[in-house]
Amino acid sequence: TYPDFSLDMKGDEKVSEERDYRVKRLLGSLLEEKYFHDYIDDCKIYQRKEANYSHFLEIKNPKILHVSTHADYLDKNTDNPMKKGVLCLAGYNVKPGDEIYGEGCITADEIQFMDLKGTELVVLSACKTAKGESIEGEGVYGLRRAFELAGAKTMLITLDSVDDINTALFMKIFYRKYFKLNNVYTAYKETKSYLREYGIDELECLLTDIDEIGNRFENPLYRMILKDTVKERINESKSLGFLVKKRRVGYIKEDWSAYIVQGIIR
């Protein structure tokens, strides 16, 4: 969670010919680590510079693998579509192969050869992680296929863009229900149902959660930015009468349709 992408910039500047844009810091990702850790003490957390390429490749047979980052689909010429889908890791905004950060991302092509046999659940907390290239007669090639081939039984992934605040909110309720029910699909359905009714109330609770993890922000300014962003969303949601999500211009209603479960669901 919360990779240090470095060169934290906005805009469409390319890092290289392979990468389409620079990605922004995910402040809400720190909350996801808290919500997972609330239920499991014995877990390995990689954050900031540690959330890098080499550490990702070292992962082997976790019961649950939670990845909170940006996802990308690279526009590059290749006969292998599995090289296009990537998860952004520490150093993504730095030139690939940097001596400190390494490659900065991991491709679906590399993930498919990892050993995730026995992994009951993979949560890809990032935008459009279900995206891939459809090949007639063979299905969709991308991150979803990669984790299936690696051995993961079930995945919680996304069909559309999501933002780090609402995603953190979703993960808070999902893990609460998952560790109580021990059933991915039931927890997923109940999470969406619950948030459609109590989403604004739970959004207000994020302000307290942010204060609880205040010492985990490397800069106090980041905590203030996140709190102000949440407050703005609370006000907008209350004025409209429903929970909203951020879009490039303004807000729209959050319906939680971006989140889906794939694999063994019962």
Side-chain angles (χ1 to χ4, degrees):
T1 63
Y2 195 56
D4 172 18
F5 303 117
S6 196
L7 300 179
D8 192 20
M9 299 173 66
K10 299 180 180 179
D12 299 322
E13 303 94 336
K14 286 193 174 185
V15 179
S16 70
E17 288 303 313
E18 292 186 341
R19 298 180 188 174
D20 294 335
Y21 58 89
R22 289 177 175 170
V23 295
K24 296 185 292 183
R25 185 183 302 273
L26 292 169
L27 297 177
S29 183
L30 280 174
L31 286 167
E32 294 186 44
E33 182 267 329
K34 165 183 163 50
Y35 300 143
F36 188 83
H37 218 266
D38 282 345
Y39 298 96
I40 295 184
D41 292 325
D42 184 21
C43 58
K44 181 66 177 178
I45 305 293
Y46 292 114
Q47 287 185 342
R48 299 185 175 88
K49 288 183 173 64
E50 295 294 302
N52 58 41
Y53 176 79
S54 60
H55 281 150
F56 201 103
L57 284 179
E58 291 172 1
I59 296 171
K60 185 176 181 180
N61 299 326
K63 182 177 181 181
I64 300 173
L65 174 59
H66 182 99
V67 185
S68 177
T69 185
H70 289 287
D72 199 358
Y73 197 75
L74 303 179
D75 183 21
K76 63 180 182 178
N77 295 322
T78 174
D79 293 331
N80 184 355
M82 295 291 275
K83 291 185 177 181
K84 295 182 178 181
V86 304
L87 292 173
C88 306
L89 302 174
Y92 187 79
N93 292 341
V94 181
K95 185 178 179 181
D98 177 84
E99 62 182 39
I100 296 176
Y101 291 95
E103 292 304 307
C105 67
I106 188 166
T107 67
D109 185 56
E110 294 167 300
I111 291 169
Q112 68 179 324
F113 298 112
M114 293 176 63
D115 186 359
L116 299 181
K117 297 179 182 66
T119 298
E120 295 181 6
L121 175 64
V122 170
V123 176
L124 299 183
S125 178
C127 294
K128 301 180 181 179
T129 49
K131 184 176 180 179
E133 182 175 329
S134 181
I135 298 178
E136 186 175 355
E138 297 188 36
V140 178
Y141 281 68
L143 291 169
R144 172 173 53 181
R145 186 185 189 95
F147 281 100
E148 288 176 348
L149 291 173
K153 296 178 181 178
T154 309
M155 289 172 286
L156 177 58
I157 53 180
T158 56
L159 291 168
D160 201 353
S161 297
V162 294
D163 65 65
D164 57 330
I165 291 175
N166 283 20
T167 300
L169 188 61
F170 188 93
M171 296 306 164
K172 177 181 182 179
I173 307 304
F174 172 75
Y175 280 121
R176 178 195 300 171
K177 293 183 176 295
Y178 174 71
F179 286 110
K180 178 181 179 181
L181 301 169
N182 195 31
N183 183 293
V184 176
Y185 191 61
T186 302
Y188 158 78
K189 289 197 302 180
E190 290 194 6
T191 296
K192 294 206 295 184
S193 177
Y194 177 85
L195 286 173
R196 283 170 180 149
E197 185 170 358
Y198 301 107
I200 297 177
D201 295 336
E202 289 292 344
L203 187 63
E204 291 184 295
C205 293
L206 289 191
L207 296 174
T208 301
D209 296 339
I210 293 169
D211 286 336
E212 288 184 5
I213 65 167
N215 62 347
R216 301 185 197 181
F217 292 98
E218 67 271 39
N219 186 331
L221 178 62
Y222 295 152
R223 181 179 65 84
M224 294 174 57
I225 291 173
L226 183 57
K227 287 194 72 172
D228 287 344
T229 304
V230 172
K231 288 176 182 178
E232 178 183 314
R233 188 163 306 189
I234 291 170
N235 292 336
E236 188 72 19
S237 297
K238 286 184 173 181
S239 68
L240 295 174
F242 50 78
L243 186 68
V244 298
K245 58 184 175 182
K246 186 71 173 177
R247 280 297 179 257
R248 188 175 293 272
V249 179
Y251 293 95
I252 62 173
K253 185 176 182 178
E254 175 64 270
D255 61 4
W256 308 107
S257 60
Y259 305 85
I260 62 169
V261 170
Q262 290 271 282
I264 300 172
I265 62 174
R266 300 194 183 280

